[in-house]
Amino acid sequence: MWQQIMRIRQRAIWSWNGFVHVARTEGSLMQWIVANVVFCILAFVLPLSGAERGFLLMGGIMVMGAECMNTAIERVVDDIGPELRDAAKHAKDAGSATVAVTAIGVGVGWICVIAGLIW
C-alpha cells in the first residue's frame, strides 16, 4: 500500500514538473493560464449552475492539457532532427490543431451558456 502511495506521489511530481516546464518555456501556455484565470473569475461571478461552471472550468483545463501535449509533440519532433520533413510538419500541425479544436469547443460552450443567460 505504501509503495502505491509513493508511486502516485512520484507521478504527481513528474506531472507538475512537466507543467511548470511548459509554462516556463511556452508563451502560449502562459496565455492560456491567464485566459483561464479570467474565465474562472467570470464563471464564479455569473449566475451559473454548478454543472455549467464545472463544464466551463473543465474545458479550460483541457485546453491547457492539449497545449502541454502539443509542446511534447513539438519537442520530440525537434529532437529527432532539424531537417524539414513532411511527417514532422504534419505532426506539429496536428498538435496545434488539437489545441485549436479544444479551444473552439470551449468557446462554443461559453457561447451556449451566455446565450442561455441572455434568453
Side-chain angles (χ1 to χ4, degrees):
M1 166 96 167
W2 182 250
Q3 225 175 11
Q4 292 300 323
I5 293 171
M6 292 307 292
R7 286 182 186 170
I8 292 169
R9 179 182 176 275
Q10 193 60 47
R11 288 180 187 126
I13 290 169
W14 292 332
S15 296
W16 179 249
N17 287 345
F19 185 81
V20 169
H21 173 75
V22 175
R24 287 182 179 160
T25 61
E26 289 294 322
S28 54
L29 181 61
M30 196 50 73
Q31 291 170 348
W32 286 118
I33 291 170
V34 170
N36 273 295
V37 168
V38 170
F39 286 123
C40 182
I41 292 167
L42 189 59
F44 281 98
V45 169
L46 292 173
L48 305 179
S49 70
E52 290 169 325
R53 189 172 290 121
F55 163 76
L56 295 172
L57 296 175
M58 177 188 67
I61 292 168
M62 290 179 72
V63 172
M64 292 190 300
E67 185 61 51
C68 289
M69 184 60 66
N70 182 42
T71 299
I73 291 167
E74 289 176 352
R75 297 283 160 73
V76 169
V77 167
D78 290 345
D79 191 54
I80 291 171
E83 63 277 351
L84 297 176
R85 301 175 320 277
D86 285 342
K89 180 185 180 335
H90 297 314
K92 286 184 166 190
D93 289 350
S96 181
T98 301
V99 178
V101 169
T102 307
I104 290 167
V106 176
V108 168
W110 271 101
I111 288 169
C112 291
V113 168
I114 299 298
L117 289 174
I118 292 171
W119 290 306

